[in-house]
Each structure stands twice: as structure tokens, then as C-alpha cells.
Amino acid sequence: MTKRFPMTQTLLTLLMMVLFLQGGVVRGDESANEMQDEAQAFLEHYTSRYQHLYIASEEATWQANIRIVEGDSTNAIRANQAREAMAAFTGSRENIETARSFLKHEDQLTKLQVKQLEVVLRKAANNPATVEPLVKRRIAAETAQVEKLYGFDFTLNGESVTTNQIDRILKTSDDLELRLAAWKASKEVGVGLKDGLNNLVALRNKTVQALGYDNFFQYMVSEYDMSVEELVAMTEQFNVELRPLFRELHTYARYTLAEKYGEPVPDLLPAHWLPNRWGQDWNAMIEVEGLDLNKALEGKDAEYVVHAGEDFYVSLGYPELPEVFYEKSSLYPLPDGADYKKNNHASAWHMDLENDVRSLMSVEPDADWWETVHHELGHIYYYMAYSNPDVPLLLRGGANRAYHEAVGSLLGLASMQQPFLVHVNLIEEGTEYDKMGKMLKEAMNSVVFIPWSCGVMTHFENDLYGEPLSQDQYNERWWALKRQYQGIVPPEPRGEEYCDAASKTHINNDPAGYYDYALSRILLQQLHDHIATDILKQDPHATNYYGSEEVGEFLWSMLEVGATGDWRQMLIDKTGSGLSAQAMLDYYAPLLAWLQEQNEGRTATLPE
């Protein structure tokens, strides 16, 4: 039997370009079927090479995240090499020209082919071969920034501490001096990242400008098929709609925390008073009687938390996690005395765009990690759902980036509902609990998150890449936005010798897309409202998804199509409405009335 050797990528794309120039593919008398066959041949060869390089890049990046050894750049070098190889391929002139040529005749192609070709061009825009030296410099700069970020030695009172330890102080300590020291310690990492961030902004902008984008922020927004102006207007609308509720939460927090610390009520919230390093989540300041999940998890181990998360998804009719998940994930904190560090930011990874799914976490048996595990497994099951033959590999992603976060956060929310916690024997049945306190605790997470995400992060990164913002204005702009949107001020002057924005992971290595999280919060509330009222026929404030295969089927029907459809139409089809904050407003309407009673006679300092 004669062996057939596959054409190389370069040979294939050059051949197709010749056909285009000769009219062999684009002649008016060429049938649509022949055009589709040619496009499909290109896409299959592109996908095969892309997957091979993707796996190499993900594996190298994974290793660089789970094993960071001071002075050892081996993993960083490998990650750089893998990313450079991916960049060279996705940004090649042949791929760009071939995809563009096919898209000139998109009316003769299938919708799935058009979507894949658009992905080819979007990936090329971040790595165009026309500026290959620039791409290499950007990749090297990103790798160096990640190493600095995750290899940083946080110290408190002269002793090395983990970020988990810093977070624990901010969540539990009443000692304002200790809180201030811990908060300041959490920001020291930004000082050494400032020059690198400034360099990355320039490199990221110049890279995408080579293919016609104004700046990197616009490039990232384009994935939603929206302009920057449209996206900013939408996020601002969410801020406006939720402002009355956030204003009441801010007033309540000021008075509650002032009483707790024995201090005068401030006009704006000092950052170190809050239980989160960035002030993005205030829920730890609220204890709900009858729903003390931290106490319920005492005596449990971290493995219990992870397996309980898996059990929840299996109860919805989903398969068990594949063996590779447990074999290759990094799920728990490093052992004491480890001679290396790892990235402690929870994340989910789709290593091969097929069956190799992993998670990077540092799970401990507490309420935060309970919710985080359920959230991260939401991403994992999303990967598993759309890794099917009906979804081309290039379209194996969320309907948009926010959908991925929405699914994770939705299942995180479901895992904290009282009836569910009763069902899994963490809360005793019939336990009386403070329902308004529970709603308040939820709002201190989800509602408080909107001005942070839609306001501070979205505007800062839009300014960072769009202005572009001068390096000597980073901290000033950062704190101006935090004052404006969150009503938060630094505990003491923070000049431009600091770079507090860079202490946030996403500013460095997941840039210009934090609005994904904001849109996901709005989306998850919409999905939760539909599930509770239309499927389960339960109060949205007290649901139990566990064991409902109908809920599982509803969610799976969205997950399994990946990015093959239109995200707006999918939401309308599934819930009957476009993206709207109304479900969130409805959910928290009783809380708004309660807060207005609690705050009667108090001074609200945030502008309406």
C-alpha cells in the first residue's frame, strides 16, 4: 500500500494562495461546495497543527505555574519557546492571507467555517508574523512578568507569608495595625512589576495594531462583536442600575466596620478595613447565623471539598471527572518546606482541547474554597461538554468569554444555597437561619463586585491601553477610580513609587478582559432566576440543584455547543431575555428595602 504523507502547513497554504491568484478558488463559476471543500481542507490542516502547538504551549505554561524555583529559568525558557512556536504559526502570513481570502467569499461558506476563519484571524492579530521580533519580545516580557508575580516572596513583620495567610488576616483580624501591615505587604509585589507592565502595554498594543486594531483593549473586546464604546456603555449601565443598592451597602459597611474597629465613621472606606486585598468582595464581614459553612467544614479535609464538588456535577447527570484530572491537577497547597512556589490563583485548564482537563488550586476546607471548587469545576465541565465531534476544535470555548465565568459562578452560587447544604449534610435540616443576613452576605460579594469590575478594572485597563496611560499616572488613576466607583481610599498616601493595580493577577497575565467577570455575574443571575423559577419552581434565594437532571440538561444544552452560535441569541432562546441586570435587581429587592431601614438616619457619602 502506498503511504500518503500529509502536506506541511506552509506547502498547503502556499498552494491555496496560488489557487486564489489563479482564480482556481474564487472564480465566479466555482461551486459553493468546492469552495467549502477548499476551506475545510485549510481548516483541518490548520487545526491539526494548532492543536499540536497548543498542547506544547499549555504544558509548558502549566509547568511554569506549578513549579516556580528562584534562580531556575528552565520552565520559563520552555514556556517562551512553546509560545513563540505557537505565535509563529498562528501569526504566519500564509494563514492570515488564506483566511482573509476565504472570508471575502463567506457567502459561499458554511457558518461554522466562517466562524473558524474569524478565529484564525483573531489569533493571528495577537501574533502577526509581520512584526515577529515584536511578538517574541512580548512573549518574553509576559513570561518574565508572571515569574516575578508568582515568584514574589511576600513578607509580614520580617517573616515570609503566603497569600492565603494574608487573606486570612484581612478576613478575620480586628487588629487594625496588623490589618494595615498585611494589606501593605500584599501590595509590595506591584512595585517590581510596574516597569514590566508599562513595557507590556506598549508591546501588546503594537502587536495588535499590526493587523489594524487601535489597541489591545479594543482587540479583546472585539471577541464579543462589540465596539469598546458599546461595551463600556453596557458596563456603565449595570453600574447605574445597581448604584442605589451599592450605595446602601457602602453606607452599611462604613458604619458596621467603624463600630467593629472602634473608630469614627469614615466618609470613604479605608482599603485595609475590608476583608479582601482589592476590596472586590466584602462578604467575609457578614456571618450568617445557622449557615456557618466554615464551622461545618471543620474536621473535613481538602480532598473532601474537591470530591464533594465532583459529586454535585455527577448528580446533575454529568460524567465523573476523567482520571487525568486527579493525576495531573495541582489541587492543594504546597507542603511546608517546599523549595519552590506555585501560582495560588485558582484556575481551570483545557490542556489539549479534548480530554485532558486540569485545575490549579490550593484548596483548604473552608467556605471560600468550597465555593471556588464548585466554580472551577464549572469550567472543567464546560470543557468536557463542548469537546464533542459537533464542535470544531477552534470553536471549543464559551459562547463568549463571560459565559465560561457565568457557568462557574452560577454553580458556585448554587453550592452555597441553604437547601443544597442541607441535602449534602453540611447544615442540619430545619436549622433556622438569618435569611436577610444570607442575602446581605451574597450581595457583599455579587453586587459589590460590579463597581469593581464594571468600574475600576474596565476603566483602568481601557485607559491603560487606550490612552495609553502614562506610567507616572498608574497609581493616581487607580485610586481615583477606586474612590469614584467603590468609595474606597488607601489607608495612607500611595505615590507613583507604588503600582497597586499590578498586584492584581489579571492586570499582568490575563489582560483587558476583566469585564468578562462583570458580565458573567449579570448572566449568572439571569440563568439562576430561570432555573429557580421556571425549572425547579423554587425561591431563587433558597434552591437545591442537586440531583436535578432537568437542570443538568438545561445547562448542558448551552455548554455542549461551545462557541458555534450567537451568544446573544442563545441567551434569548434559553431565558427569553437579552442580557439584563433586572434579575439581579429583582433578587435583591427585599435587601434594598431592609438596608434602607437599617441606614435610616445615617449619612450616605457616595454620590447618587
Side-chain angles (χ1 to χ4, degrees):
M1 181 185 293
T2 303
K3 292 183 179 179
R4 297 181 59 196
F5 295 94
M7 285 186 287
T8 65
Q9 172 63 31
T10 301
L11 178 60
L12 174 70
T13 48
L14 286 174
L15 176 61
M16 288 189 172
M17 290 178 69
V18 170
L19 288 171
F20 285 132
L21 293 173
Q22 293 179 345
V25 173
V26 297
R27 290 197 314 265
D29 61 351
E30 181 78 83
S31 71
N33 285 341
E34 290 175 332
M35 174 72 78
Q36 289 170 18
D37 289 344
E38 296 286 356
Q40 194 61 33
F42 166 70
L43 287 170
E44 287 176 4
H45 280 272
Y46 178 98
T47 296
S48 176
R49 181 62 178 157
Y50 175 81
Q51 185 180 26
H52 174 78
L53 292 168
Y54 175 91
I55 291 170
S57 179
E58 286 296 285
E59 191 61 57
T61 305
W62 172 262
Q63 293 299 326
N65 275 267
I66 66 168
R67 189 175 182 86
I68 303 169
V69 180
E70 187 175 357
D72 184 352
S73 59
T74 304
N75 284 338
I77 290 171
R78 287 174 180 163
N80 263 2
Q81 291 171 339
R83 294 177 69 194
E84 285 179 2
M86 173 65 87
F89 171 71
T90 57
S92 73
R93 288 181 174 88
E94 295 95 336
N95 285 330
I96 292 170
E97 292 305 317
T98 305
R100 280 177 168 171
S101 297
F102 276 122
L103 284 171
K104 287 178 182 177
H105 306 275
E106 65 177 84
D107 59 328
Q108 298 181 55
L109 303 174
T110 69
K111 290 182 179 179
L112 280 184
Q113 288 176 333
V114 170
K115 274 188 166 290
Q116 290 174 84
L117 291 165
E118 289 172 344
V119 169
V120 170
L121 285 183
R122 189 175 292 118
K123 291 184 182 300
N126 205 26
N127 305 297
T130 51
V131 289
E132 184 177 351
L134 189 68
V135 172
K136 287 186 176 181
R137 283 163 48 205
R138 191 207 73 223
I139 291 170
E142 287 173 336
T143 302
Q145 192 82 340
V146 168
E147 280 198 311
K148 278 188 178 181
L149 177 64
Y150 295 123
F152 185 76
D153 183 22
F154 291 89
T155 60
L156 179 61
N157 298 326
E159 299 288 335
S160 291
V161 291
T162 66
T163 52
N164 275 354
Q165 289 172 314
I166 290 175
D167 291 340
R168 195 172 297 118
I169 290 171
L170 293 177
K171 288 173 184 174
T172 63
S173 177
D174 294 342
D175 183 340
L176 279 181
E177 286 190 13
L178 178 60
R179 296 183 66 86
L180 176 59
W183 184 87
K184 290 168 67 175
S186 77
K187 301 302 171 193
E188 285 301 310
V189 63
V191 176
L193 294 170
K194 188 171 188 177
D195 288 342
L197 176 60
N198 186 60
N199 184 42
L200 279 173
V201 169
L203 292 172
R204 286 166 176 161
N205 273 348
K206 289 176 183 176
T207 300
V208 299
Q209 285 165 354
L211 275 190
Y213 292 92
D214 292 340
N215 56 68
F216 188 76
F217 192 85
Q218 184 207 29
Y219 162 72
M220 290 294 290
V221 171
S222 69
E223 189 172 328
Y224 283 86
D225 295 323
M226 299 175 75
S227 68
V228 170
E229 292 73 21
E230 287 172 330
L231 180 123
V232 170
M234 182 170 63
T235 56
E236 277 299 285
Q237 182 61 30
F238 295 149
N239 266 321
V240 169
E241 290 175 348
L242 290 165
R243 185 68 166 187
L245 177 54
F246 178 71
R247 194 166 182 256
E248 295 294 338
L249 290 167
H250 184 269
T251 302
Y252 183 88
R254 285 169 42 239
Y255 280 81
T256 299
L257 292 176
E259 181 179 359
K260 174 182 178 180
Y261 300 133
E263 296 286 330
V265 179
D267 287 343
L268 299 170
L269 284 164
H272 69 302
W273 281 26
L274 293 164
N276 175 273
R277 282 178 269 165
W278 304 281
Q280 70 183 62
D281 179 358
W282 306 352
N283 91 89
M285 62 180 284
I286 307 298
E287 293 293 335
V288 182
E289 293 183 14
L291 282 180
D292 187 351
L293 188 52
N294 283 319
K295 184 176 180 180
L297 289 168
E298 287 180 1
K300 308 288 188 184
D301 56 24
E303 288 82 359
Y304 165 83
V305 177
V306 174
H307 287 285
E310 178 185 17
D311 177 62
F312 175 46
Y313 286 88
V314 171
S315 83
L316 300 178
Y318 299 168
E320 294 181 352
L321 291 168
E323 288 183 10
V324 68
F325 176 83
Y326 287 108
E327 290 172 356
K328 295 189 175 182
S329 290
S330 177
L331 299 173
Y332 309 111
L334 293 177
D336 293 339
D339 59 357
Y340 62 95
K341 294 180 180 291
K342 77 172 190 176
N343 177 354
N344 285 307
H345 183 76
S347 54
W349 298 58
H350 200 183
M351 301 298 295
D352 60 354
L353 297 175
E354 291 187 295
N355 302 315
D356 187 348
V357 291
R358 306 179 197 174
S359 186
L360 173 57
M361 296 189 279
S362 294
V363 180
E364 295 182 329
D366 62 29
D368 284 343
W369 278 111
W370 173 266
E371 184 172 8
T372 298
V373 164
H374 285 78
H375 175 115
E376 295 305 329
L377 291 187
H379 291 299
I380 296 295
Y381 275 97
Y382 208 157
Y383 299 151
M384 291 166 62
Y386 57 58
S387 295
N388 68 73
D390 294 329
V391 179
L393 186 138
L394 293 179
L395 299 179
R396 290 182 183 177
N400 62 32
R401 295 194 309 265
Y403 266 79
H404 240 300
E405 284 306 313
V407 170
S409 297
L410 171 67
L411 278 303
L413 169 69
S415 76
M416 301 297 283
Q417 298 277 292
Q418 191 261 359
F420 169 74
L421 294 173
V422 168
H423 189 94
V424 296
N425 299 314
L426 286 176
I427 302 293
E428 288 187 14
E429 188 170 2
T431 300
E432 292 295 325
Y433 70 98
D434 180 1
K435 293 180 174 60
M436 194 58 68
K438 178 178 178 295
M439 204 184 309
L440 175 62
K441 187 174 182 70
E442 291 174 351
M444 289 294 196
N445 176 296
S446 58
V447 177
V448 162
F449 187 80
I450 297 302
W452 155 254
S453 52
C454 287
V456 178
M457 288 292 285
T458 295
H459 282 277
F460 182 80
E461 291 198 288
N462 188 23
D463 291 349
L464 190 65
Y465 293 95
E467 296 288 340
L469 195 63
S470 171
Q471 184 176 359
D472 61 5
Q473 297 175 313
Y474 286 178
N475 237 34
E476 179 184 0
R477 182 60 173 150
W478 178 254
W479 285 106
L481 289 168
K482 287 184 71 66
R483 172 187 285 264
Q484 176 184 349
Y485 285 98
Q486 293 182 284
I488 296 174
V489 291
E492 55 188 34
R494 303 286 291 179
E496 293 303 328
E497 68 271 25
Y498 300 107
C499 188
D500 294 329
S503 70
K504 185 63 178 169
T505 302
H506 304 76
I507 296 287
N508 301 282
N509 69 337
D510 191 8
Y514 204 82
Y515 43 84
D516 295 351
Y517 299 98
L519 304 187
S520 77
R521 296 297 179 103
I522 302 297
L523 178 58
L524 85 87
Q525 205 76 50
Q526 212 165 325
L527 294 175
H528 177 67
D529 183 73
H530 176 77
I531 288 170
T533 58
D534 297 336
I535 298 178
L536 295 175
K537 313 298 183 185
Q538 296 173 359
D539 179 354
H541 305 97
T543 61
N544 180 17
Y545 290 16
Y546 192 96
S548 174
E549 293 193 1
E550 189 176 358
V551 170
E553 289 170 4
F554 167 74
L555 289 173
W556 197 267
S557 69
M558 289 194 301
L559 310 187
E560 67 180 350
V561 298
T564 59
D566 180 279
W567 69 269
R568 296 177 182 85
Q569 191 59 50
M570 176 189 287
L571 186 60
I572 293 171
D573 292 344
K574 296 298 181 182
T575 70
S577 171
L579 192 62
S580 166
Q582 190 58 52
M584 185 176 280
L585 290 169
D586 292 344
Y587 185 87
Y588 289 112
L591 177 64
L592 176 60
W594 181 85
L595 283 168
Q596 288 169 337
E597 291 179 6
Q598 303 303 306
N599 289 333
E600 189 174 355
R602 295 173 174 176
T603 302
T605 52
L606 285 185
E608 295 184 12

